[in-house]
Amino acid sequence: MNRNDFPILKELVHGRELVYLDNAATSQKPQPVMDAIVEAYSHWNSNIHRGVHHLSQVATMKHEEARKAVAAFIGAESSDEIIFTKGTTDSINALAFCLGELLVHEGDEIIVSGLEHHSNIVPWQMLCERKKAVLRHIPLRDDLSLDIEAFKGLLNDKTRLVSVAHVSNVLGTIQPVEEIIRLAHESNIPVCIDGAQSVPHMPVDVQALNCDFLVFSGHKLYGPTGIGVLYGKREWLEKLPPHEGGGEMINHVRWSGTSYNELPYKFEAGTPNYVGSWALKTAMDYMQAIGWDAMEAHEQELTAYCEQQLRAIDGIRIYAAGQRKAGVISFNVYNGKELIHPFDIGTLLDQQGVAVRTGHHCAEPLIDEIGVPGTVRVSFGLYNDRADVDAFIAALQKSIAILG
Ligand code: PLP
């Protein structure tokens, strides 16, 4: 892994070299991704799909090439199944609207899990409120894993969709999505996988998983902000109504009514983020040049090393310790029985140049279940190394000494 590709890692924070361990919130960008953005605005910026002129054709070609690259990255059957959105949150909101219009009526049910990010809770709550439907959630066992037996009991003939995170953004645990998809499909219920925390860390193949929808964000994947993906199986996307009206998503507009464009354009109203899609493709190319085997092995090794170092410190409580994780560790520090507030730990770490996340991580129901005000979360990217973990552990020990 070439840290030199990531200029921001040379920044000084409070006079110290940055140790960036907040990758689950957003990842840093390699130089080629930044170059792609500058190149786009310097050489081929032009609105796509509408012009016969040269620049417009180049920009259109780049956007469509990016769509094909995304389809290949997640193993989709066709690039028509790739909808560009602003990110995971935007994708789930779009899906909640479209699916709600098509399928959800009074008394129907949607199932999420007890460890979801707010992005995979609130849009479904809003839909349920609109349609007088009911949101259910898969409960957690004591070890914070999903209670699959309870899930089986939740599935019934009113269930319209199951939507679950592939990897918990708080715990880093990899969820048994294969089993969830299989069980839901036995009852002909579609499944949406929130891949915000999995797609950046492991190969995700939508056809092998057989999920009906997959959502993720470009900015957690070494790409830019403002671009994300909603993948849907063609048979579903053909049936769903569009969620936004405007240019590009139409076939013909008459005062008597509008006919909609074909896939995927039906779901991309207005000028799309064609610079973002090209930069996302560049990020995916960058990752593929390193290769999944190397990235996964590196992150797994680093996560195990960090967990082992944390365990050696008195008073540390790691959540879902020892479970299979994808580059995320959440913990708290106790002084005897008393919790040291995660914000205090985070603030002292920051003063030593170490960036971690503290708080509820946009997953308040899970944090309530754990019964703490929040956690300290470290999360790794492909550029982190053992020196980062060592610097973090040393800074943490110093913080505990001050606060304890
Ligand atoms: N879902 C999960 C599991 C996440 O971790 C996040 C962001 O942290 C989101 C959804 C929302 O992603 P975004 O803010 O990029 O839309």
Side-chain angles (χ1 to χ4, degrees), residues 114-115 140 143-146 167-175 197 303 307 318-321 323-331 361 363 366-367 370 375 377-378:
L115 44 69
L140 303 175
D143 66 355
L144 303 175
S145 64
L146 294 185
V167 168
S168 159
N169 69 306
V170 177
L171 308 170
T173 43
I174 302 169
Q175 303 307 315
Q197 299 294 346
T303 310
E307 236 187 72
I318 300 171
Y319 300 104
Q323 295 181 31
R324 238 180 101 230
K325 291 183 179 173
V328 176
I329 304 173
S330 247
F331 68 92
H361 316 295
L366 171 58
I367 293 295
I370 297 174
T375 74
R377 181 185 74 183
V378 291

PDB file of all heavy atoms in Angstrom, residues 114-115 140 143-146 167-175 197 303 307 318-321 323-331 361 363 366-367 370 375 377-378:
ATOM      1  N   GLY A 114     -31.529  -4.552  14.295  1.00  0.00           N
ATOM      2  CA  GLY A 114     -31.282  -3.731  15.489  1.00  0.00           C
ATOM      3  C   GLY A 114     -29.954  -3.002  15.468  1.00  0.00           C
ATOM      4  O   GLY A 114     -29.646  -2.257  16.408  1.00  0.00           O
ATOM      5  N   LEU A 115     -29.171  -3.188  14.416  1.00  0.00           N
ATOM      6  CA  LEU A 115     -27.872  -2.480  14.417  1.00  0.00           C
ATOM      7  C   LEU A 115     -27.693  -1.561  13.216  1.00  0.00           C
ATOM      8  O   LEU A 115     -26.576  -1.252  12.805  1.00  0.00           O
ATOM      9  CB  LEU A 115     -26.711  -3.487  14.521  1.00  0.00           C
ATOM     10  CG  LEU A 115     -26.688  -4.763  13.692  1.00  0.00           C
ATOM     11  CD1 LEU A 115     -26.486  -4.469  12.240  1.00  0.00           C
ATOM     12  CD2 LEU A 115     -25.611  -5.703  14.218  1.00  0.00           C
ATOM     13  N   LEU A 140     -31.193  -8.229  18.705  1.00  0.00           N
ATOM     14  CA  LEU A 140     -29.806  -8.663  18.863  1.00  0.00           C
ATOM     15  C   LEU A 140     -29.705  -9.646  20.029  1.00  0.00           C
ATOM     16  O   LEU A 140     -30.450  -9.542  21.004  1.00  0.00           O
ATOM     17  CB  LEU A 140     -28.916  -7.451  19.160  1.00  0.00           C
ATOM     18  CG  LEU A 140     -28.955  -6.330  18.121  1.00  0.00           C
ATOM     19  CD1 LEU A 140     -28.111  -5.141  18.596  1.00  0.00           C
ATOM     20  CD2 LEU A 140     -28.435  -6.829  16.788  1.00  0.00           C
ATOM     21  N   ASP A 143     -24.480 -11.121  22.578  1.00  0.00           N
ATOM     22  CA  ASP A 143     -23.152 -10.832  22.006  1.00  0.00           C
ATOM     23  C   ASP A 143     -23.230  -9.829  20.845  1.00  0.00           C
ATOM     24  O   ASP A 143     -22.273  -9.665  20.099  1.00  0.00           O
ATOM     25  CB  ASP A 143     -22.468 -12.130  21.551  1.00  0.00           C
ATOM     26  CG  ASP A 143     -23.204 -12.798  20.392  1.00  0.00           C
ATOM     27  OD1 ASP A 143     -24.297 -12.307  20.015  1.00  0.00           O
ATOM     28  OD2 ASP A 143     -22.696 -13.798  19.850  1.00  0.00           O
ATOM     29  N   LEU A 144     -24.397  -9.191  20.674  1.00  0.00           N
ATOM     30  CA  LEU A 144     -24.640  -8.169  19.651  1.00  0.00           C
ATOM     31  C   LEU A 144     -24.685  -8.730  18.230  1.00  0.00           C
ATOM     32  O   LEU A 144     -24.554  -7.987  17.257  1.00  0.00           O
ATOM     33  CB  LEU A 144     -23.633  -7.013  19.749  1.00  0.00           C
ATOM     34  CG  LEU A 144     -23.587  -6.301  21.105  1.00  0.00           C
ATOM     35  CD1 LEU A 144     -22.481  -5.248  21.139  1.00  0.00           C
ATOM     36  CD2 LEU A 144     -24.931  -5.644  21.423  1.00  0.00           C
ATOM     37  N   SER A 145     -24.875 -10.039  18.119  1.00  0.00           N
ATOM     38  CA  SER A 145     -25.110 -10.631  16.789  1.00  0.00           C
ATOM     39  C   SER A 145     -26.624 -10.653  16.546  1.00  0.00           C
ATOM     40  O   SER A 145     -27.422 -10.555  17.482  1.00  0.00           O
ATOM     41  CB  SER A 145     -24.529 -12.039  16.710  1.00  0.00           C
ATOM     42  OG  SER A 145     -25.201 -12.884  17.631  1.00  0.00           O
ATOM     43  N   LEU A 146     -27.002 -10.790  15.260  1.00  0.00           N
ATOM     44  CA  LEU A 146     -28.433 -10.778  14.934  1.00  0.00           C
ATOM     45  C   LEU A 146     -29.075 -12.113  15.330  1.00  0.00           C
ATOM     46  O   LEU A 146     -28.506 -13.179  15.081  1.00  0.00           O
ATOM     47  CB  LEU A 146     -28.642 -10.557  13.437  1.00  0.00           C
ATOM     48  CG  LEU A 146     -28.222  -9.196  12.882  1.00  0.00           C
ATOM     49  CD1 LEU A 146     -28.617  -9.084  11.415  1.00  0.00           C
ATOM     50  CD2 LEU A 146     -28.857  -8.066  13.676  1.00  0.00           C
ATOM     51  N   VAL A 167     -22.291  -4.817   6.904  1.00  0.00           N
ATOM     52  CA  VAL A 167     -21.297  -4.664   7.974  1.00  0.00           C
ATOM     53  C   VAL A 167     -21.774  -3.532   8.880  1.00  0.00           C
ATOM     54  O   VAL A 167     -22.128  -2.457   8.389  1.00  0.00           O
ATOM     55  CB  VAL A 167     -19.907  -4.322   7.386  1.00  0.00           C
ATOM     56  CG1 VAL A 167     -18.939  -3.870   8.481  1.00  0.00           C
ATOM     57  CG2 VAL A 167     -19.321  -5.522   6.639  1.00  0.00           C
ATOM     58  N   SER A 168     -21.786  -3.795  10.186  1.00  0.00           N
ATOM     59  CA  SER A 168     -22.212  -2.753  11.130  1.00  0.00           C
ATOM     60  C   SER A 168     -21.193  -1.629  11.183  1.00  0.00           C
ATOM     61  O   SER A 168     -19.999  -1.878  11.376  1.00  0.00           O
ATOM     62  CB  SER A 168     -22.375  -3.364  12.524  1.00  0.00           C
ATOM     63  OG  SER A 168     -22.311  -2.339  13.507  1.00  0.00           O
ATOM     64  N   ASN A 169     -21.669  -0.387  11.043  1.00  0.00           N
ATOM     65  CA  ASN A 169     -20.723   0.744  11.079  1.00  0.00           C
ATOM     66  C   ASN A 169     -20.237   1.032  12.496  1.00  0.00           C
ATOM     67  O   ASN A 169     -19.247   1.728  12.678  1.00  0.00           O
ATOM     68  CB  ASN A 169     -21.354   2.008  10.476  1.00  0.00           C
ATOM     69  CG  ASN A 169     -22.464   2.575  11.327  1.00  0.00           C
ATOM     70  OD1 ASN A 169     -23.404   1.863  11.672  1.00  0.00           O
ATOM     71  ND2 ASN A 169     -22.369   3.837  11.701  1.00  0.00           N
ATOM     72  N   VAL A 170     -20.919   0.471  13.501  1.00  0.00           N
ATOM     73  CA  VAL A 170     -20.491   0.678  14.886  1.00  0.00           C
ATOM     74  C   VAL A 170     -19.544  -0.434  15.326  1.00  0.00           C
ATOM     75  O   VAL A 170     -18.482  -0.181  15.886  1.00  0.00           O
ATOM     76  CB  VAL A 170     -21.714   0.710  15.847  1.00  0.00           C
ATOM     77  CG1 VAL A 170     -21.252   0.852  17.296  1.00  0.00           C
ATOM     78  CG2 VAL A 170     -22.651   1.834  15.470  1.00  0.00           C
ATOM     79  N   LEU A 171     -19.943  -1.680  15.044  1.00  0.00           N
ATOM     80  CA  LEU A 171     -19.199  -2.838  15.562  1.00  0.00           C
ATOM     81  C   LEU A 171     -18.199  -3.396  14.571  1.00  0.00           C
ATOM     82  O   LEU A 171     -17.265  -4.097  14.961  1.00  0.00           O
ATOM     83  CB  LEU A 171     -20.185  -3.959  15.936  1.00  0.00           C
ATOM     84  CG  LEU A 171     -21.334  -3.564  16.869  1.00  0.00           C
ATOM     85  CD1 LEU A 171     -22.350  -4.685  16.962  1.00  0.00           C
ATOM     86  CD2 LEU A 171     -20.778  -3.208  18.253  1.00  0.00           C
ATOM     87  N   GLY A 172     -18.423  -3.140  13.290  1.00  0.00           N
ATOM     88  CA  GLY A 172     -17.579  -3.718  12.237  1.00  0.00           C
ATOM     89  C   GLY A 172     -17.920  -5.156  11.927  1.00  0.00           C
ATOM     90  O   GLY A 172     -17.310  -5.777  11.053  1.00  0.00           O
ATOM     91  N   THR A 173     -18.906  -5.726  12.631  1.00  0.00           N
ATOM     92  CA  THR A 173     -19.218  -7.143  12.434  1.00  0.00           C
ATOM     93  C   THR A 173     -19.877  -7.385  11.081  1.00  0.00           C
ATOM     94  O   THR A 173     -20.703  -6.593  10.625  1.00  0.00           O
ATOM     95  CB  THR A 173     -20.165  -7.639  13.548  1.00  0.00           C
ATOM     96  OG1 THR A 173     -21.172  -6.638  13.754  1.00  0.00           O
ATOM     97  CG2 THR A 173     -19.409  -7.849  14.841  1.00  0.00           C
ATOM     98  N   ILE A 174     -19.476  -8.519  10.479  1.00  0.00           N
ATOM     99  CA  ILE A 174     -20.023  -8.896   9.174  1.00  0.00           C
ATOM    100  C   ILE A 174     -21.293  -9.704   9.421  1.00  0.00           C
ATOM    101  O   ILE A 174     -21.261 -10.703  10.149  1.00  0.00           O
ATOM    102  CB  ILE A 174     -18.987  -9.720   8.371  1.00  0.00           C
ATOM    103  CG1 ILE A 174     -17.694  -8.892   8.210  1.00  0.00           C
ATOM    104  CG2 ILE A 174     -19.549 -10.131   7.008  1.00  0.00           C
ATOM    105  CD1 ILE A 174     -16.506  -9.670   7.669  1.00  0.00           C
ATOM    106  N   GLN A 175     -22.388  -9.256   8.852  1.00  0.00           N
ATOM    107  CA  GLN A 175     -23.691  -9.870   9.139  1.00  0.00           C
ATOM    108  C   GLN A 175     -23.961 -11.061   8.213  1.00  0.00           C
ATOM    109  O   GLN A 175     -23.471 -11.090   7.081  1.00  0.00           O
ATOM    110  CB  GLN A 175     -24.804  -8.823   8.990  1.00  0.00           C
ATOM    111  CG  GLN A 175     -24.622  -7.606   9.874  1.00  0.00           C
ATOM    112  CD  GLN A 175     -24.418  -7.989  11.333  1.00  0.00           C
ATOM    113  OE1 GLN A 175     -25.130  -8.841  11.865  1.00  0.00           O
ATOM    114  NE2 GLN A 175     -23.431  -7.384  11.968  1.00  0.00           N
ATOM    115  N   GLN A 197     -20.543  -0.093   4.448  1.00  0.00           N
ATOM    116  CA  GLN A 197     -19.309  -0.485   5.151  1.00  0.00           C
ATOM    117  C   GLN A 197     -18.720  -1.794   4.635  1.00  0.00           C
ATOM    118  O   GLN A 197     -17.682  -2.231   5.136  1.00  0.00           O
ATOM    119  CB  GLN A 197     -19.574  -0.616   6.669  1.00  0.00           C
ATOM    120  CG  GLN A 197     -20.026   0.659   7.344  1.00  0.00           C
ATOM    121  CD  GLN A 197     -18.948   1.754   7.341  1.00  0.00           C
ATOM    122  OE1 GLN A 197     -17.770   1.514   7.074  1.00  0.00           O
ATOM    123  NE2 GLN A 197     -19.366   2.975   7.624  1.00  0.00           N
ATOM    124  N   THR A 303      -6.681  -5.079  11.963  1.00  0.00           N
ATOM    125  CA  THR A 303      -7.794  -5.098  12.924  1.00  0.00           C
ATOM    126  C   THR A 303      -7.470  -6.055  14.070  1.00  0.00           C
ATOM    127  O   THR A 303      -7.664  -5.720  15.249  1.00  0.00           O
ATOM    128  CB  THR A 303      -9.113  -5.529  12.222  1.00  0.00           C
ATOM    129  OG1 THR A 303      -9.275  -4.740  11.048  1.00  0.00           O
ATOM    130  CG2 THR A 303     -10.320  -5.323  13.113  1.00  0.00           C
ATOM    131  N   GLU A 307      -6.974  -5.010  17.959  1.00  0.00           N
ATOM    132  CA  GLU A 307      -7.806  -5.588  19.016  1.00  0.00           C
ATOM    133  C   GLU A 307      -6.925  -6.210  20.095  1.00  0.00           C
ATOM    134  O   GLU A 307      -7.176  -6.052  21.292  1.00  0.00           O
ATOM    135  CB  GLU A 307      -8.787  -6.627  18.433  1.00  0.00           C
ATOM    136  CG  GLU A 307     -10.204  -6.268  18.807  1.00  0.00           C
ATOM    137  CD  GLU A 307     -11.293  -7.279  18.460  1.00  0.00           C
ATOM    138  OE1 GLU A 307     -11.380  -8.347  19.098  1.00  0.00           O
ATOM    139  OE2 GLU A 307     -12.077  -6.956  17.583  1.00  0.00           O
ATOM    140  N   ILE A 318     -14.230  -3.973  24.621  1.00  0.00           N
ATOM    141  CA  ILE A 318     -14.415  -3.969  23.158  1.00  0.00           C
ATOM    142  C   ILE A 318     -15.770  -4.595  22.864  1.00  0.00           C
ATOM    143  O   ILE A 318     -16.101  -5.643  23.422  1.00  0.00           O
ATOM    144  CB  ILE A 318     -13.298  -4.786  22.464  1.00  0.00           C
ATOM    145  CG1 ILE A 318     -11.921  -4.196  22.772  1.00  0.00           C
ATOM    146  CG2 ILE A 318     -13.525  -4.841  20.956  1.00  0.00           C
ATOM    147  CD1 ILE A 318     -10.761  -5.060  22.317  1.00  0.00           C
ATOM    148  N   TYR A 319     -16.539  -3.975  21.981  1.00  0.00           N
ATOM    149  CA  TYR A 319     -17.868  -4.514  21.665  1.00  0.00           C
ATOM    150  C   TYR A 319     -17.756  -5.527  20.533  1.00  0.00           C
ATOM    151  O   TYR A 319     -17.034  -5.302  19.561  1.00  0.00           O
ATOM    152  CB  TYR A 319     -18.836  -3.363  21.343  1.00  0.00           C
ATOM    153  CG  TYR A 319     -18.939  -2.453  22.543  1.00  0.00           C
ATOM    154  CD1 TYR A 319     -18.295  -1.218  22.573  1.00  0.00           C
ATOM    155  CD2 TYR A 319     -19.607  -2.884  23.692  1.00  0.00           C
ATOM    156  CE1 TYR A 319     -18.332  -0.420  23.712  1.00  0.00           C
ATOM    157  CE2 TYR A 319     -19.650  -2.087  24.837  1.00  0.00           C
ATOM    158  CZ  TYR A 319     -19.011  -0.862  24.840  1.00  0.00           C
ATOM    159  OH  TYR A 319     -19.042  -0.097  25.968  1.00  0.00           O
ATOM    160  N   ALA A 320     -18.501  -6.634  20.704  1.00  0.00           N
ATOM    161  CA  ALA A 320     -18.453  -7.746  19.739  1.00  0.00           C
ATOM    162  C   ALA A 320     -17.009  -8.213  19.539  1.00  0.00           C
ATOM    163  O   ALA A 320     -16.583  -8.512  18.421  1.00  0.00           O
ATOM    164  CB  ALA A 320     -19.098  -7.357  18.408  1.00  0.00           C
ATOM    165  N   ALA A 321     -16.283  -8.291  20.653  1.00  0.00           N
ATOM    166  CA  ALA A 321     -14.866  -8.681  20.581  1.00  0.00           C
ATOM    167  C   ALA A 321     -14.721 -10.071  19.985  1.00  0.00           C
ATOM    168  O   ALA A 321     -15.546 -10.950  20.234  1.00  0.00           O
ATOM    169  CB  ALA A 321     -14.256  -8.666  21.981  1.00  0.00           C
ATOM    170  N   GLN A 323     -15.295 -11.232  17.154  1.00  0.00           N
ATOM    171  CA  GLN A 323     -16.149 -11.634  16.019  1.00  0.00           C
ATOM    172  C   GLN A 323     -15.519 -11.184  14.700  1.00  0.00           C
ATOM    173  O   GLN A 323     -14.672 -10.306  14.675  1.00  0.00           O
ATOM    174  CB  GLN A 323     -17.553 -11.039  16.180  1.00  0.00           C
ATOM    175  CG  GLN A 323     -18.287 -11.606  17.391  1.00  0.00           C
ATOM    176  CD  GLN A 323     -19.703 -11.036  17.531  1.00  0.00           C
ATOM    177  OE1 GLN A 323     -20.363 -10.706  16.563  1.00  0.00           O
ATOM    178  NE2 GLN A 323     -20.157 -10.918  18.762  1.00  0.00           N
ATOM    179  N   ARG A 324     -15.975 -11.807  13.605  1.00  0.00           N
ATOM    180  CA  ARG A 324     -15.431 -11.468  12.271  1.00  0.00           C
ATOM    181  C   ARG A 324     -15.780 -10.031  11.925  1.00  0.00           C
ATOM    182  O   ARG A 324     -16.948  -9.643  11.943  1.00  0.00           O
ATOM    183  CB  ARG A 324     -16.055 -12.409  11.229  1.00  0.00           C
ATOM    184  CG  ARG A 324     -15.016 -13.212  10.471  1.00  0.00           C
ATOM    185  CD  ARG A 324     -15.675 -14.126   9.471  1.00  0.00           C
ATOM    186  NE  ARG A 324     -15.616 -13.605   8.124  1.00  0.00           N
ATOM    187  CZ  ARG A 324     -16.657 -13.511   7.311  1.00  0.00           C
ATOM    188  NH1 ARG A 324     -17.850 -13.868   7.688  1.00  0.00           N
ATOM    189  NH2 ARG A 324     -16.489 -13.058   6.086  1.00  0.00           N
ATOM    190  N   LYS A 325     -14.750  -9.232  11.645  1.00  0.00           N
ATOM    191  CA  LYS A 325     -14.988  -7.800  11.441  1.00  0.00           C
ATOM    192  C   LYS A 325     -14.374  -7.313  10.136  1.00  0.00           C
ATOM    193  O   LYS A 325     -13.480  -7.965   9.593  1.00  0.00           O
ATOM    194  CB  LYS A 325     -14.393  -7.001  12.600  1.00  0.00           C
ATOM    195  CG  LYS A 325     -15.128  -7.223  13.900  1.00  0.00           C
ATOM    196  CD  LYS A 325     -14.598  -6.384  15.011  1.00  0.00           C
ATOM    197  CE  LYS A 325     -15.436  -6.663  16.259  1.00  0.00           C
ATOM    198  NZ  LYS A 325     -14.912  -6.013  17.436  1.00  0.00           N
ATOM    199  N   ALA A 326     -14.850  -6.165   9.688  1.00  0.00           N
ATOM    200  CA  ALA A 326     -14.304  -5.578   8.462  1.00  0.00           C
ATOM    201  C   ALA A 326     -13.762  -4.183   8.771  1.00  0.00           C
ATOM    202  O   ALA A 326     -14.391  -3.164   8.469  1.00  0.00           O
ATOM    203  CB  ALA A 326     -15.368  -5.510   7.377  1.00  0.00           C
ATOM    204  N   GLY A 327     -12.610  -4.154   9.446  1.00  0.00           N
ATOM    205  CA  GLY A 327     -11.886  -2.890   9.582  1.00  0.00           C
ATOM    206  C   GLY A 327     -12.431  -1.874  10.572  1.00  0.00           C
ATOM    207  O   GLY A 327     -12.079  -0.696  10.491  1.00  0.00           O
ATOM    208  N   VAL A 328     -13.281  -2.308  11.509  1.00  0.00           N
ATOM    209  CA  VAL A 328     -13.863  -1.365  12.489  1.00  0.00           C
ATOM    210  C   VAL A 328     -13.787  -1.995  13.880  1.00  0.00           C
ATOM    211  O   VAL A 328     -14.092  -3.178  14.030  1.00  0.00           O
ATOM    212  CB  VAL A 328     -15.351  -1.064  12.170  1.00  0.00           C
ATOM    213  CG1 VAL A 328     -15.980  -0.179  13.241  1.00  0.00           C
ATOM    214  CG2 VAL A 328     -15.508  -0.421  10.799  1.00  0.00           C
ATOM    215  N   ILE A 329     -13.372  -1.200  14.881  1.00  0.00           N
ATOM    216  CA  ILE A 329     -13.417  -1.662  16.284  1.00  0.00           C
ATOM    217  C   ILE A 329     -14.041  -0.556  17.131  1.00  0.00           C
ATOM    218  O   ILE A 329     -13.636   0.608  17.036  1.00  0.00           O
ATOM    219  CB  ILE A 329     -12.002  -1.960  16.842  1.00  0.00           C
ATOM    220  CG1 ILE A 329     -11.266  -2.987  15.969  1.00  0.00           C
ATOM    221  CG2 ILE A 329     -12.087  -2.467  18.282  1.00  0.00           C
ATOM    222  CD1 ILE A 329      -9.804  -3.193  16.370  1.00  0.00           C
ATOM    223  N   SER A 330     -15.029  -0.939  17.947  1.00  0.00           N
ATOM    224  CA  SER A 330     -15.656   0.017  18.866  1.00  0.00           C
ATOM    225  C   SER A 330     -15.341  -0.400  20.288  1.00  0.00           C
ATOM    226  O   SER A 330     -15.407  -1.598  20.607  1.00  0.00           O
ATOM    227  CB  SER A 330     -17.173  -0.030  18.692  1.00  0.00           C
ATOM    228  OG  SER A 330     -17.664   1.167  18.161  1.00  0.00           O
ATOM    229  N   PHE A 331     -15.034   0.573  21.122  1.00  0.00           N
ATOM    230  CA  PHE A 331     -14.717   0.216  22.510  1.00  0.00           C
ATOM    231  C   PHE A 331     -15.029   1.386  23.437  1.00  0.00           C
ATOM    232  O   PHE A 331     -15.302   2.506  22.996  1.00  0.00           O
ATOM    233  CB  PHE A 331     -13.232  -0.182  22.619  1.00  0.00           C
ATOM    234  CG  PHE A 331     -12.271   0.971  22.400  1.00  0.00           C
ATOM    235  CD1 PHE A 331     -11.802   1.732  23.454  1.00  0.00           C
ATOM    236  CD2 PHE A 331     -11.855   1.305  21.112  1.00  0.00           C
ATOM    237  CE1 PHE A 331     -10.934   2.799  23.245  1.00  0.00           C
ATOM    238  CE2 PHE A 331     -10.989   2.369  20.900  1.00  0.00           C
ATOM    239  CZ  PHE A 331     -10.525   3.114  21.964  1.00  0.00           C
ATOM    240  N   HIS A 361     -22.523   7.254  16.439  1.00  0.00           N
ATOM    241  CA  HIS A 361     -22.224   6.802  15.072  1.00  0.00           C
ATOM    242  C   HIS A 361     -23.486   6.663  14.218  1.00  0.00           C
ATOM    243  O   HIS A 361     -23.579   5.767  13.361  1.00  0.00           O
ATOM    244  CB  HIS A 361     -21.456   5.469  15.092  1.00  0.00           C
ATOM    245  CG  HIS A 361     -20.354   5.429  16.105  1.00  0.00           C
ATOM    246  ND1 HIS A 361     -19.249   6.245  16.024  1.00  0.00           N
ATOM    247  CD2 HIS A 361     -20.205   4.699  17.243  1.00  0.00           C
ATOM    248  CE1 HIS A 361     -18.467   6.007  17.065  1.00  0.00           C
ATOM    249  NE2 HIS A 361     -19.024   5.085  17.823  1.00  0.00           N
ATOM    250  N   ALA A 363     -26.279   5.518  14.978  1.00  0.00           N
ATOM    251  CA  ALA A 363     -26.948   4.229  15.201  1.00  0.00           C
ATOM    252  C   ALA A 363     -27.453   4.205  16.641  1.00  0.00           C
ATOM    253  O   ALA A 363     -27.082   3.341  17.433  1.00  0.00           O
ATOM    254  CB  ALA A 363     -25.997   3.078  14.923  1.00  0.00           C
ATOM    255  N   LEU A 366     -28.850   0.973  18.418  1.00  0.00           N
ATOM    256  CA  LEU A 366     -27.824   0.007  18.822  1.00  0.00           C
ATOM    257  C   LEU A 366     -27.086   0.493  20.074  1.00  0.00           C
ATOM    258  O   LEU A 366     -26.833  -0.283  21.011  1.00  0.00           O
ATOM    259  CB  LEU A 366     -26.835  -0.226  17.669  1.00  0.00           C
ATOM    260  CG  LEU A 366     -25.582  -1.033  18.010  1.00  0.00           C
ATOM    261  CD1 LEU A 366     -25.912  -2.417  18.554  1.00  0.00           C
ATOM    262  CD2 LEU A 366     -24.681  -1.173  16.784  1.00  0.00           C
ATOM    263  N   ILE A 367     -26.754   1.786  20.093  1.00  0.00           N
ATOM    264  CA  ILE A 367     -26.031   2.341  21.250  1.00  0.00           C
ATOM    265  C   ILE A 367     -26.910   2.252  22.511  1.00  0.00           C
ATOM    266  O   ILE A 367     -26.424   1.928  23.597  1.00  0.00           O
ATOM    267  CB  ILE A 367     -25.596   3.799  20.943  1.00  0.00           C
ATOM    268  CG1 ILE A 367     -24.548   3.804  19.817  1.00  0.00           C
ATOM    269  CG2 ILE A 367     -25.080   4.511  22.186  1.00  0.00           C
ATOM    270  CD1 ILE A 367     -23.229   3.133  20.150  1.00  0.00           C
ATOM    271  N   ILE A 370     -26.743  -1.265  23.732  1.00  0.00           N
ATOM    272  CA  ILE A 370     -25.498  -1.539  24.460  1.00  0.00           C
ATOM    273  C   ILE A 370     -25.567  -0.886  25.843  1.00  0.00           C
ATOM    274  O   ILE A 370     -24.985  -1.383  26.806  1.00  0.00           O
ATOM    275  CB  ILE A 370     -24.268  -1.013  23.667  1.00  0.00           C
ATOM    276  CG1 ILE A 370     -24.138  -1.743  22.313  1.00  0.00           C
ATOM    277  CG2 ILE A 370     -22.974  -1.184  24.461  1.00  0.00           C
ATOM    278  CD1 ILE A 370     -23.041  -1.192  21.393  1.00  0.00           C
ATOM    279  N   THR A 375     -19.540   5.239  21.889  1.00  0.00           N
ATOM    280  CA  THR A 375     -18.311   4.439  21.932  1.00  0.00           C
ATOM    281  C   THR A 375     -17.197   5.232  21.255  1.00  0.00           C
ATOM    282  O   THR A 375     -17.442   6.247  20.603  1.00  0.00           O
ATOM    283  CB  THR A 375     -18.453   3.082  21.189  1.00  0.00           C
ATOM    284  OG1 THR A 375     -18.455   3.323  19.774  1.00  0.00           O
ATOM    285  CG2 THR A 375     -19.698   2.332  21.585  1.00  0.00           C
ATOM    286  N   ARG A 377     -14.599   4.726  18.253  1.00  0.00           N
ATOM    287  CA  ARG A 377     -14.514   3.812  17.097  1.00  0.00           C
ATOM    288  C   ARG A 377     -13.246   4.093  16.310  1.00  0.00           C
ATOM    289  O   ARG A 377     -13.008   5.227  15.902  1.00  0.00           O
ATOM    290  CB  ARG A 377     -15.732   3.997  16.199  1.00  0.00           C
ATOM    291  CG  ARG A 377     -15.738   3.064  14.988  1.00  0.00           C
ATOM    292  CD  ARG A 377     -16.899   3.359  14.054  1.00  0.00           C
ATOM    293  NE  ARG A 377     -16.692   4.571  13.292  1.00  0.00           N
ATOM    294  CZ  ARG A 377     -17.569   5.102  12.446  1.00  0.00           C
ATOM    295  NH1 ARG A 377     -18.747   4.526  12.273  1.00  0.00           N
ATOM    296  NH2 ARG A 377     -17.299   6.206  11.782  1.00  0.00           N
ATOM    297  N   VAL A 378     -12.442   3.058  16.102  1.00  0.00           N
ATOM    298  CA  VAL A 378     -11.321   3.189  15.162  1.00  0.00           C
ATOM    299  C   VAL A 378     -11.680   2.372  13.927  1.00  0.00           C
ATOM    300  O   VAL A 378     -12.276   1.305  14.031  1.00  0.00           O
ATOM    301  CB  VAL A 378      -9.972   2.696  15.746  1.00  0.00           C
ATOM    302  CG1 VAL A 378      -9.489   3.599  16.841  1.00  0.00           C
ATOM    303  CG2 VAL A 378     -10.068   1.266  16.259  1.00  0.00           C
TER     304      VAL A 378
END
